[in-house]
Amino acid sequence: MNLPSKYLENAVDAFASLPGIGKRTALRLTLHLLKKDKGQVLKFADTFKDLILEVKSCKKCHNLSDQEICSICQSPKRDTSLICVVEDIRDILAIESTQQYKGIYHVLGGLISPMDGVGPNDLTITHLEARVKSEQVTEVILALSATMEGDTTNFYLYRKLNSLEVKISTIARGIGIGDELEYTDEITLGKSILNRLPFENSLTN
Amino acid sequence: MNLPSKYLENAVDAFASLPGIGKRTALRLTLHLLKKDKGQVLKFADTFKDLILEVKSCKKCHNLSDQEICSICQSPKRDTSLICVVEDIRDILAIESTQQYKGIYHVLGGLISPMDGVGPNDLTITHLEARVKSEQVTEVILALSATMEGDTTNFYLYRKLNSLEVKISTIARGIGIGDELEYTDEITLGKSILNRLPFENSLTN
């Protein structure tokens, strides 16, 4: 693309540097901005400055926050003996929206993935160990994706935490609510038979 | 979504205000920015400030430019007697990439669309008329989309310019190169039979 202005080109490149946005979409977004008021676009730009300058990582759980300690860790209503380990803050949002969990969190910041060059030291695993040792933690719930990387990380965490006096659990894997048996893959179905539950647990609410 | 930081929320809202970007994608993009260096994100933000403060609309043709007059209008190599009327600057990019056109352009800034509340006065049609009257223009090529709005605008422009001494043409409509007859809609196929060309014109290049 041979754009008629270098500022236009810079803005297109900026958008195109974001994941999942190609050059054409980037141009569409840039032209959309050009149709807005000057004030609106300046505010749009400032939003990202504020973001990078103001948003902090919670010192306890690595959730994002405006303060040093996030609102979940600060809340007196949460059960601090329960730590749910997640990959990133989107998982916290997903779990919070279920309104089923009253413990606190620990954000790993990724999953162990040798293919992508992510090792245990790139994650907040040492900090998690320290938390389990120093805080009054009774259970660590591993809530990672059911992928190769998730399983690898689960296993690594299990080995690290197993020697400590803490219960380690993982979220249940099985047939999703609303799924049909016929279309469920055999590994999930097999696991869900092996890990069958007392009937009472299966009732939704 | 109940985000843990208001700055995070603002950035997500900013991304989500762009066309085709939902809240989930906006969050993904925002978290992507947060993983970058502070300097990179500040530069990202500044790009949009520069965009809105520096990019101008060409005084002659309404193309975007860093200068008052765009590079196409300034070029001594272009045939200024030929004006190609397009909807927006993306169409200029598309036509320029064909390397088949050596005239200049006029960007309307949209198409007449009563449904969207866009009337002739919202477009640069008066300026186009003035250009045809004052510049040495021999031909106006209407290169608008083959849609209802494009046709309406074509017809409106034809009525406005017809009284002036200028040839008015539209880009050819017919079977796209590489298309199969069998799968072409009947209106296009019908038009392409009515507007058939001398055989020599049909050879690609």
Side-chain angles (χ1 to χ4, degrees), chain A residues 10-205:
Chain A
N10 290 343
V12 171
D13 287 344
F15 274 131
S17 76
L18 298 171
I21 297 189
K23 282 260 175 182
R24 262 167 195 276
T25 308
L27 178 60
R28 194 162 51 86
L29 299 179
T30 307
L31 294 178
H32 175 84
L33 283 187
L34 277 173
K35 280 183 187 161
K36 288 194 179 183
D37 291 341
K38 197 178 278 187
Q40 280 180 296
V41 179
L42 294 178
K43 205 177 144 207
F44 176 86
D46 277 334
T47 307
F48 302 114
K49 289 199 172 179
D50 289 346
L51 175 80
I52 200 73
L53 296 174
E54 299 293 342
V55 173
K56 297 165 190 73
S57 168
C58 169
K59 287 230 159 99
K60 271 187 91 173
C61 74
H62 302 277
N63 187 7
L64 296 176
S65 175
D66 293 347
Q67 281 120 40
E68 299 287 303
I69 303 290
C70 78
S71 54
I72 294 177
C73 287
Q74 272 185 1
S75 167
K77 288 185 188 159
R78 312 293 298 218
D79 179 355
T80 54
S81 70
L82 217 58
I83 293 184
C84 179
V85 178
V86 294
E87 179 183 348
D88 82 14
I89 81 133
R90 276 176 290 178
D91 302 322
I92 294 188
L93 297 175
I95 295 173
E96 284 300 293
S97 71
T98 68
Q99 302 189 316
Q100 297 290 328
Y101 181 65
K102 290 291 161 223
I104 53 174
Y105 292 94
H106 187 88
V107 180
L108 289 180
L111 295 175
I112 297 174
S113 171
M115 293 277 283
D116 303 315
V118 182
N121 293 333
D122 300 315
L123 310 177
T124 61
I125 294 179
T126 319
H127 186 201
L128 175 63
E129 277 182 84
R131 284 184 73 186
V132 174
K133 280 176 194 161
S134 65
E135 297 171 25
Q136 303 287 329
V137 181
T138 55
E139 183 174 353
V140 172
I141 304 168
L142 305 176
L144 304 179
S145 297
T147 57
M148 178 91 87
E149 290 78 16
D151 282 345
T152 308
T153 313
N154 266 340
F155 191 63
Y156 185 89
L157 290 173
Y158 179 76
R159 294 229 306 197
K160 281 279 169 190
L161 301 174
N162 200 23
S163 57
L164 308 173
E165 264 180 41
V166 68
K167 191 175 154 191
I168 304 170
S169 56
T170 65
I171 51 170
R173 293 172 180 188
I175 314 288
I177 312 295
D179 280 3
E180 295 192 41
L181 274 207
E182 193 180 353
Y183 301 113
T184 304
D185 68 285
E186 56 265 47
I187 298 176
T188 303
L189 193 51
K191 284 268 179 196
S192 77
I193 291 172
L194 286 176
N195 301 328
R196 59 194 176 277
L197 298 168
F199 180 74
E200 305 80 52
N201 293 18
S202 76
L203 303 171
T204 353
N205 287 314

Side-chain angles (χ1 to χ4, degrees), chain B:
Chain B
M1 254 187 314
N2 215 342
L3 293 171
S5 149
K6 82 167 185 291
Y7 299 104
L8 190 67
E9 207 164 318
N10 291 342
V12 170
D13 287 343
F15 274 131
S17 76
L18 298 170
I21 296 189
K23 281 262 177 182
R24 260 167 197 275
T25 308
L27 178 60
R28 195 161 52 85
L29 299 179
T30 306
L31 293 179
H32 175 85
L33 282 186
L34 277 173
K35 280 184 186 162
K36 288 192 181 189
D37 290 341
K38 196 178 279 186
Q40 279 180 297
V41 178
L42 293 178
K43 204 177 144 207
F44 177 86
D46 277 333
T47 306
F48 302 113
K49 290 200 171 178
D50 288 345
L51 176 79
I52 200 73
L53 296 174
E54 299 293 342
V55 172
K56 297 166 190 74
S57 168
C58 169
K59 288 229 156 99
K60 273 189 88 172
C61 74
H62 302 277
N63 187 7
L64 296 176
S65 175
D66 293 347
Q67 280 120 38
E68 298 288 303
I69 304 290
C70 77
S71 53
I72 294 177
C73 288
Q74 273 186 1
S75 166
K77 288 186 189 158
R78 312 293 296 218
D79 179 355
T80 54
S81 70
L82 217 59
I83 293 184
C84 179
V85 178
V86 294
E87 179 183 349
D88 82 14
I89 82 132
R90 275 176 290 178
D91 303 321
I92 296 188
L93 297 175
I95 295 173
E96 285 298 292
S97 71
T98 68
Q99 301 190 318
Q100 298 289 326
Y101 180 65
K102 289 291 160 222
I104 54 176
Y105 292 93
H106 187 87
V107 180
L108 289 180
L111 295 175
I112 298 173
S113 170
M115 293 277 284
D116 303 315
V118 183
N121 293 332
D122 300 315
L123 309 177
T124 61
I125 295 178
T126 319
H127 186 203
L128 174 63
E129 277 181 84
R131 285 184 72 187
V132 173
K133 280 175 194 162
S134 65
E135 297 172 24
Q136 303 286 330
V137 180
T138 55
E139 183 173 352
V140 171
I141 304 167
L142 304 176
L144 304 179
S145 297
T147 57
M148 178 90 89
E149 291 79 15
D151 282 346
T152 309
T153 314
N154 266 341
F155 192 63
Y156 185 88
L157 290 174
Y158 179 75
R159 294 227 308 196
K160 280 280 170 188
L161 301 174
N162 200 23
S163 56
L164 309 173
E165 265 180 40
V166 68
K167 191 175 153 191
I168 304 171
S169 56
T170 66
I171 50 168
R173 292 172 180 189
I175 314 287
I177 312 294
D179 279 4
E180 294 191 42
L181 273 208
E182 194 181 351
Y183 301 115
T184 304
D185 69 286
E186 54 265 48
I187 299 175
T188 303
L189 193 52
K191 283 270 181 196
S192 76
I193 291 170
L194 287 175
N195 300 328
R196 59 193 174 279
L197 299 169
F199 181 72
E200 304 80 52
N201 293 18
S202 75
L203 303 171
T204 352
N205 289 313

